[in-house]
Amino acid sequence: MEKIFKSKGMTTTEKWVIVFVLAFMCGTYLLLKEASVLCGFIVAIPFLISNYQRKYIIKENGDLWVKTVFGISQKAIGVNCILYNPSAKGWQWRVRQMVVRYQNGLKKGFFPITPADPEGLIAALKEKNPDLELQYTYK
């Protein structure tokens, strides 16, 4: 049976930045009366929603699928390594916290993930892929 994990939500800082940017763009729109000012934010809203509402699905064969709200998915077929840094800090700490590497034949790749329960996801992947390499990094 598939196991599903959710992505982390927004931090308080990220929420305040979004509110500030929204207020700035609305104020700029009111001053300039240009609809093009709001186009950037209108394009960014679906991206933000999609980014924070991801689902991580571990299939029966040990593959990891990442699905967004809009149905876009990434598939890590043949997961062979997870780089995990539970103490990641600084700018873009989410991107640097956990990276999944995979290899399926000649196709290799990697992408960052941000599950709400990283230890649970690692345990579930380890259960499906016993030869999974796990590299902890503490910096």
Short mmCIF file of all heavy atoms in Angstrom, two decimals, residues 74-124:
data_model
loop_
_atom_site.label_atom_id
_atom_site.label_comp_id
_atom_site.label_asym_id
_atom_site.label_seq_id
_atom_site.Cartn_x
_atom_site.Cartn_y
_atom_site.Cartn_z
N GLN A 74 6.85 14.72 -9.89
CA GLN A 74 8.22 14.29 -10.10
C GLN A 74 8.28 12.85 -9.64
O GLN A 74 7.69 12.50 -8.63
CB GLN A 74 9.21 15.12 -9.28
CG GLN A 74 9.42 16.52 -9.79
CD GLN A 74 10.39 17.26 -8.90
OE1 GLN A 74 10.17 17.38 -7.71
NE2 GLN A 74 11.47 17.74 -9.47
N LYS A 75 9.02 12.04 -10.37
CA LYS A 75 9.11 10.63 -10.01
C LYS A 75 10.58 10.27 -9.81
O LYS A 75 11.39 10.44 -10.71
CB LYS A 75 8.51 9.76 -11.10
CG LYS A 75 7.04 10.04 -11.31
CD LYS A 75 6.50 9.26 -12.47
CE LYS A 75 5.05 9.63 -12.71
NZ LYS A 75 4.51 9.04 -13.92
N ALA A 76 10.88 9.77 -8.63
CA ALA A 76 12.22 9.27 -8.34
C ALA A 76 12.13 7.75 -8.38
O ALA A 76 11.76 7.11 -7.40
CB ALA A 76 12.70 9.76 -6.99
N ILE A 77 12.45 7.18 -9.54
CA ILE A 77 12.38 5.73 -9.72
C ILE A 77 13.77 5.17 -9.46
O ILE A 77 14.74 5.56 -10.09
CB ILE A 77 11.90 5.39 -11.15
CG1 ILE A 77 10.50 5.97 -11.35
CG2 ILE A 77 11.92 3.90 -11.38
CD1 ILE A 77 9.98 5.87 -12.75
N GLY A 78 13.85 4.26 -8.51
CA GLY A 78 15.14 3.69 -8.14
C GLY A 78 15.90 4.58 -7.17
O GLY A 78 17.05 4.91 -7.39
N VAL A 79 15.25 4.98 -6.09
CA VAL A 79 15.89 5.84 -5.08
C VAL A 79 17.06 5.08 -4.47
O VAL A 79 16.91 3.96 -4.00
CB VAL A 79 14.89 6.24 -3.97
CG1 VAL A 79 15.59 7.04 -2.89
CG2 VAL A 79 13.73 7.00 -4.55
N ASN A 80 18.26 5.69 -4.53
CA ASN A 80 19.43 4.99 -3.99
C ASN A 80 20.15 5.76 -2.88
O ASN A 80 20.98 5.21 -2.19
CB ASN A 80 20.41 4.65 -5.11
CG ASN A 80 20.87 5.86 -5.88
OD1 ASN A 80 20.59 6.98 -5.51
ND2 ASN A 80 21.55 5.63 -6.98
N CYS A 81 19.80 7.04 -2.68
CA CYS A 81 20.51 7.82 -1.66
C CYS A 81 19.64 8.98 -1.19
O CYS A 81 18.93 9.59 -1.97
CB CYS A 81 21.82 8.35 -2.24
SG CYS A 81 22.79 9.32 -1.08
N ILE A 82 19.72 9.26 0.10
CA ILE A 82 19.07 10.44 0.67
C ILE A 82 20.12 11.21 1.46
O ILE A 82 20.80 10.65 2.32
CB ILE A 82 17.91 10.06 1.61
CG1 ILE A 82 16.79 9.43 0.81
CG2 ILE A 82 17.39 11.28 2.34
CD1 ILE A 82 15.60 9.04 1.65
N LEU A 83 20.26 12.48 1.14
CA LEU A 83 21.13 13.37 1.89
C LEU A 83 20.24 14.15 2.85
O LEU A 83 19.31 14.83 2.43
CB LEU A 83 21.84 14.34 0.95
CG LEU A 83 22.63 13.71 -0.19
CD1 LEU A 83 23.13 14.76 -1.15
CD2 LEU A 83 23.78 12.91 0.36
N TYR A 84 20.51 14.03 4.14
CA TYR A 84 19.63 14.63 5.15
C TYR A 84 20.44 15.49 6.10
O TYR A 84 21.41 15.03 6.69
CB TYR A 84 18.89 13.53 5.90
CG TYR A 84 17.94 14.02 6.95
CD1 TYR A 84 17.03 15.03 6.68
CD2 TYR A 84 17.94 13.48 8.23
CE1 TYR A 84 16.15 15.49 7.64
CE2 TYR A 84 17.06 13.92 9.20
CZ TYR A 84 16.17 14.93 8.89
OH TYR A 84 15.30 15.38 9.85
N ASN A 85 20.05 16.74 6.22
CA ASN A 85 20.70 17.67 7.13
C ASN A 85 19.63 18.26 8.05
O ASN A 85 19.01 19.26 7.73
CB ASN A 85 21.39 18.78 6.33
CG ASN A 85 22.17 19.73 7.21
OD1 ASN A 85 22.21 19.56 8.43
ND2 ASN A 85 22.80 20.71 6.61
N PRO A 86 19.41 17.62 9.21
CA PRO A 86 18.35 18.11 10.10
C PRO A 86 18.65 19.46 10.73
O PRO A 86 17.75 20.12 11.22
CB PRO A 86 18.26 17.02 11.16
CG PRO A 86 19.55 16.31 11.12
CD PRO A 86 20.07 16.44 9.72
N SER A 87 19.90 19.89 10.69
CA SER A 87 20.25 21.16 11.31
C SER A 87 20.48 22.26 10.27
O SER A 87 21.17 23.23 10.55
CB SER A 87 21.49 20.99 12.17
OG SER A 87 22.58 20.58 11.37
N ALA A 88 19.92 22.12 9.08
CA ALA A 88 20.11 23.13 8.03
C ALA A 88 19.51 24.45 8.48
O ALA A 88 18.40 24.50 8.98
CB ALA A 88 19.47 22.67 6.73
N LYS A 89 20.27 25.52 8.27
CA LYS A 89 19.82 26.86 8.65
C LYS A 89 20.18 27.83 7.55
O LYS A 89 20.88 27.50 6.62
CB LYS A 89 20.50 27.29 9.95
CG LYS A 89 20.04 26.53 11.16
CD LYS A 89 20.70 27.10 12.41
CE LYS A 89 20.18 26.43 13.65
NZ LYS A 89 20.68 25.08 13.84
N GLY A 90 19.69 29.04 7.69
CA GLY A 90 20.04 30.07 6.72
C GLY A 90 19.05 30.15 5.58
O GLY A 90 17.99 29.54 5.59
N TRP A 91 19.43 30.93 4.58
CA TRP A 91 18.57 31.14 3.43
C TRP A 91 18.36 29.82 2.68
O TRP A 91 19.30 29.07 2.47
CB TRP A 91 19.20 32.17 2.51
CG TRP A 91 18.33 32.54 1.38
CD1 TRP A 91 18.58 32.28 0.08
CD2 TRP A 91 17.08 33.23 1.41
NE1 TRP A 91 17.57 32.76 -0.70
CE2 TRP A 91 16.62 33.35 0.10
CE3 TRP A 91 16.30 33.75 2.42
CZ2 TRP A 91 15.43 33.97 -0.22
CZ3 TRP A 91 15.12 34.36 2.09
CH2 TRP A 91 14.70 34.47 0.79
N GLN A 92 17.17 29.55 2.30
CA GLN A 92 16.78 28.33 1.59
C GLN A 92 17.09 27.07 2.38
O GLN A 92 17.50 26.06 1.84
CB GLN A 92 17.45 28.26 0.22
CG GLN A 92 17.01 29.35 -0.72
CD GLN A 92 17.63 29.20 -2.08
OE1 GLN A 92 18.65 28.56 -2.24
NE2 GLN A 92 17.01 29.79 -3.06
N TRP A 93 16.86 27.11 3.69
CA TRP A 93 17.12 25.92 4.51
C TRP A 93 16.23 24.76 4.10
O TRP A 93 16.60 23.60 4.25
CB TRP A 93 16.93 26.24 5.99
CG TRP A 93 15.53 26.61 6.36
CD1 TRP A 93 15.00 27.86 6.36
CD2 TRP A 93 14.49 25.74 6.76
NE1 TRP A 93 13.69 27.83 6.73
CE2 TRP A 93 13.33 26.53 6.98
CE3 TRP A 93 14.39 24.36 6.95
CZ2 TRP A 93 12.13 26.00 7.39
CZ3 TRP A 93 13.18 23.83 7.36
CH2 TRP A 93 12.07 24.65 7.57
N ARG A 94 15.04 25.06 3.58
CA ARG A 94 14.14 23.98 3.17
C ARG A 94 14.76 23.16 2.04
O ARG A 94 14.64 21.95 2.00
CB ARG A 94 12.82 24.55 2.67
CG ARG A 94 11.97 25.15 3.73
CD ARG A 94 10.75 25.77 3.07
NE ARG A 94 9.89 26.38 4.03
CZ ARG A 94 8.91 25.75 4.64
NH1 ARG A 94 8.67 24.50 4.38
NH2 ARG A 94 8.17 26.38 5.52
N VAL A 95 15.36 23.85 1.09
CA VAL A 95 15.92 23.17 -0.07
C VAL A 95 17.13 22.32 0.33
O VAL A 95 17.37 21.27 -0.24
CB VAL A 95 16.32 24.20 -1.15
CG1 VAL A 95 16.98 23.54 -2.33
CG2 VAL A 95 15.09 24.97 -1.61
N ARG A 96 17.86 22.77 1.33
CA ARG A 96 19.08 22.06 1.72
C ARG A 96 18.86 21.01 2.79
O ARG A 96 19.78 20.32 3.16
CB ARG A 96 20.12 23.07 2.20
CG ARG A 96 20.58 23.99 1.10
CD ARG A 96 21.63 24.95 1.57
NE ARG A 96 21.04 25.93 2.48
CZ ARG A 96 21.51 26.18 3.70
NH1 ARG A 96 22.57 25.58 4.14
NH2 ARG A 96 20.94 27.08 4.46
N GLN A 97 17.64 20.88 3.29
CA GLN A 97 17.44 19.94 4.39
C GLN A 97 17.44 18.49 3.93
O GLN A 97 18.04 17.65 4.56
CB GLN A 97 16.14 20.24 5.12
CG GLN A 97 16.01 19.39 6.36
CD GLN A 97 14.77 19.72 7.17
OE1 GLN A 97 13.83 20.32 6.68
NE2 GLN A 97 14.78 19.32 8.41
N MET A 98 16.78 18.15 2.84
CA MET A 98 16.71 16.76 2.38
C MET A 98 16.75 16.71 0.86
O MET A 98 15.96 17.38 0.20
CB MET A 98 15.44 16.09 2.90
CG MET A 98 15.38 14.62 2.61
SD MET A 98 13.91 13.83 3.26
CE MET A 98 14.31 13.73 4.98
N VAL A 99 17.66 15.91 0.32
CA VAL A 99 17.79 15.75 -1.13
C VAL A 99 17.72 14.26 -1.44
O VAL A 99 18.39 13.45 -0.80
CB VAL A 99 19.13 16.34 -1.64
CG1 VAL A 99 19.28 16.10 -3.13
CG2 VAL A 99 19.22 17.81 -1.32
N VAL A 100 16.90 13.91 -2.43
CA VAL A 100 16.73 12.52 -2.84
C VAL A 100 17.48 12.31 -4.15
O VAL A 100 17.32 13.08 -5.10
CB VAL A 100 15.23 12.19 -3.06
CG1 VAL A 100 15.07 10.81 -3.64
CG2 VAL A 100 14.48 12.31 -1.77
N ARG A 101 18.31 11.28 -4.19
CA ARG A 101 19.01 10.91 -5.43
C ARG A 101 18.43 9.60 -5.93
O ARG A 101 18.14 8.70 -5.16
CB ARG A 101 20.50 10.74 -5.19
CG ARG A 101 21.21 12.02 -4.91
CD ARG A 101 22.69 11.77 -4.82
NE ARG A 101 23.36 13.01 -4.52
CZ ARG A 101 24.64 13.10 -4.24
NH1 ARG A 101 25.38 12.01 -4.19
NH2 ARG A 101 25.19 14.26 -3.99
N TYR A 102 18.31 9.50 -7.25
CA TYR A 102 17.76 8.28 -7.84
C TYR A 102 18.50 7.94 -9.12
O TYR A 102 19.15 8.78 -9.73
CB TYR A 102 16.26 8.44 -8.11
CG TYR A 102 15.91 9.55 -9.06
CD1 TYR A 102 15.75 9.31 -10.42
CD2 TYR A 102 15.74 10.85 -8.61
CE1 TYR A 102 15.44 10.32 -11.30
CE2 TYR A 102 15.41 11.87 -9.48
CZ TYR A 102 15.26 11.59 -10.83
OH TYR A 102 14.96 12.61 -11.69
N GLN A 103 18.40 6.67 -9.51
CA GLN A 103 19.00 6.21 -10.76
C GLN A 103 18.15 5.07 -11.31
O GLN A 103 17.90 4.08 -10.63
CB GLN A 103 20.43 5.73 -10.55
CG GLN A 103 21.08 5.27 -11.83
CD GLN A 103 22.56 5.00 -11.65
OE1 GLN A 103 23.09 5.13 -10.56
NE2 GLN A 103 23.21 4.62 -12.72
N ASN A 104 17.72 5.24 -12.54
CA ASN A 104 16.93 4.23 -13.23
C ASN A 104 17.60 3.97 -14.57
O ASN A 104 17.40 4.72 -15.52
CB ASN A 104 15.48 4.70 -13.41
CG ASN A 104 14.63 3.67 -14.09
OD1 ASN A 104 14.96 2.50 -14.09
ND2 ASN A 104 13.54 4.10 -14.67
N GLY A 105 18.39 2.93 -14.62
CA GLY A 105 19.15 2.67 -15.85
C GLY A 105 20.17 3.77 -16.07
O GLY A 105 20.99 4.06 -15.22
N LEU A 106 20.09 4.43 -17.23
CA LEU A 106 21.01 5.52 -17.53
C LEU A 106 20.51 6.87 -17.00
O LEU A 106 21.24 7.85 -17.01
CB LEU A 106 21.22 5.63 -19.04
CG LEU A 106 21.88 4.41 -19.69
CD1 LEU A 106 21.94 4.60 -21.19
CD2 LEU A 106 23.27 4.20 -19.12
N LYS A 107 19.28 6.93 -16.57
CA LYS A 107 18.71 8.18 -16.08
C LYS A 107 19.04 8.37 -14.61
O LYS A 107 18.66 7.58 -13.77
CB LYS A 107 17.20 8.18 -16.29
CG LYS A 107 16.57 9.49 -15.90
CD LYS A 107 15.07 9.47 -16.13
CE LYS A 107 14.48 10.79 -15.68
NZ LYS A 107 13.03 10.78 -15.78
N LYS A 108 19.76 9.46 -14.32
CA LYS A 108 20.10 9.82 -12.95
C LYS A 108 19.49 11.16 -12.63
O LYS A 108 19.24 11.96 -13.52
CB LYS A 108 21.61 9.97 -12.78
CG LYS A 108 22.40 8.72 -12.87
CD LYS A 108 23.85 9.08 -12.61
CE LYS A 108 24.75 7.89 -12.71
NZ LYS A 108 26.15 8.26 -12.49
N GLY A 109 19.28 11.42 -11.35
CA GLY A 109 18.77 12.72 -10.98
C GLY A 109 18.68 12.90 -9.49
O GLY A 109 18.95 11.98 -8.72
N PHE A 110 18.32 14.11 -9.10
CA PHE A 110 18.11 14.42 -7.69
C PHE A 110 17.18 15.61 -7.61
O PHE A 110 17.04 16.38 -8.55
CB PHE A 110 19.43 14.73 -6.98
CG PHE A 110 20.09 15.99 -7.46
CD1 PHE A 110 19.85 17.20 -6.81
CD2 PHE A 110 20.95 15.98 -8.55
CE1 PHE A 110 20.45 18.35 -7.25
CE2 PHE A 110 21.55 17.13 -8.99
CZ PHE A 110 21.31 18.32 -8.34
N PHE A 111 16.48 15.73 -6.49
CA PHE A 111 15.68 16.91 -6.22
C PHE A 111 15.47 17.03 -4.71
O PHE A 111 15.47 16.05 -4.00
CB PHE A 111 14.35 16.92 -6.98
CG PHE A 111 13.48 15.72 -6.77
CD1 PHE A 111 12.62 15.64 -5.70
CD2 PHE A 111 13.51 14.68 -7.68
CE1 PHE A 111 11.80 14.54 -5.52
CE2 PHE A 111 12.70 13.58 -7.51
CZ PHE A 111 11.84 13.51 -6.43
N PRO A 112 15.31 18.28 -4.24
CA PRO A 112 15.08 18.50 -2.81
C PRO A 112 13.62 18.26 -2.45
O PRO A 112 12.72 18.50 -3.24
CB PRO A 112 15.46 19.97 -2.62
CG PRO A 112 15.20 20.59 -3.94
CD PRO A 112 15.48 19.53 -4.97
N ILE A 113 13.41 17.78 -1.23
CA ILE A 113 12.05 17.60 -0.72
C ILE A 113 11.98 18.18 0.69
O ILE A 113 13.01 18.30 1.36
CB ILE A 113 11.61 16.11 -0.74
CG1 ILE A 113 12.52 15.26 0.15
CG2 ILE A 113 11.55 15.58 -2.14
CD1 ILE A 113 12.03 13.83 0.30
N THR A 114 10.77 18.53 1.11
CA THR A 114 10.58 19.11 2.44
C THR A 114 9.37 18.48 3.12
O THR A 114 8.33 19.12 3.25
CB THR A 114 10.37 20.63 2.35
OG1 THR A 114 9.28 20.88 1.46
CG2 THR A 114 11.59 21.34 1.86
N PRO A 115 9.48 17.24 3.55
CA PRO A 115 8.34 16.62 4.21
C PRO A 115 8.15 17.16 5.63
O PRO A 115 9.11 17.58 6.27
CB PRO A 115 8.71 15.14 4.23
CG PRO A 115 10.20 15.14 4.22
CD PRO A 115 10.61 16.33 3.42
N ALA A 116 6.91 17.11 6.10
CA ALA A 116 6.62 17.54 7.46
C ALA A 116 7.22 16.57 8.48
O ALA A 116 7.61 16.95 9.57
CB ALA A 116 5.11 17.66 7.67
N ASP A 117 7.31 15.30 8.10
CA ASP A 117 7.88 14.26 8.97
C ASP A 117 9.04 13.58 8.23
O ASP A 117 8.89 12.51 7.65
CB ASP A 117 6.80 13.24 9.32
CG ASP A 117 7.30 12.12 10.21
OD1 ASP A 117 8.36 12.30 10.85
OD2 ASP A 117 6.65 11.06 10.25
N PRO A 118 10.23 14.21 8.23
CA PRO A 118 11.34 13.64 7.48
C PRO A 118 11.79 12.27 7.98
O PRO A 118 12.11 11.39 7.19
CB PRO A 118 12.46 14.68 7.60
CG PRO A 118 12.07 15.57 8.71
CD PRO A 118 10.60 15.46 8.88
N GLU A 119 11.79 12.07 9.30
CA GLU A 119 12.21 10.79 9.86
C GLU A 119 11.25 9.67 9.46
O GLU A 119 11.66 8.55 9.17
CB GLU A 119 12.33 10.87 11.38
CG GLU A 119 13.36 11.86 11.88
CD GLU A 119 14.79 11.46 11.54
OE1 GLU A 119 15.05 10.26 11.35
OE2 GLU A 119 15.63 12.36 11.47
N GLY A 120 9.95 9.96 9.42
CA GLY A 120 8.96 8.98 9.00
C GLY A 120 9.12 8.62 7.54
O GLY A 120 8.99 7.45 7.16
N LEU A 121 9.40 9.63 6.70
CA LEU A 121 9.61 9.36 5.27
C LEU A 121 10.85 8.53 5.06
O LEU A 121 10.85 7.58 4.25
CB LEU A 121 9.70 10.67 4.49
CG LEU A 121 9.77 10.48 3.00
CD1 LEU A 121 8.60 11.18 2.33
CD2 LEU A 121 11.05 11.02 2.44
N ILE A 122 11.92 8.82 5.78
CA ILE A 122 13.15 8.04 5.66
C ILE A 122 12.90 6.60 6.09
O ILE A 122 13.33 5.66 5.42
CB ILE A 122 14.28 8.68 6.49
CG1 ILE A 122 14.73 9.99 5.85
CG2 ILE A 122 15.46 7.72 6.64
CD1 ILE A 122 15.69 10.78 6.69
N ALA A 123 12.18 6.40 7.20
CA ALA A 123 11.89 5.04 7.67
C ALA A 123 11.05 4.28 6.66
O ALA A 123 11.30 3.09 6.40
CB ALA A 123 11.17 5.11 9.01
N ALA A 124 10.07 4.94 6.05
CA ALA A 124 9.22 4.27 5.05
C ALA A 124 10.02 3.91 3.80
O ALA A 124 9.84 2.83 3.23
CB ALA A 124 8.04 5.15 4.69
#
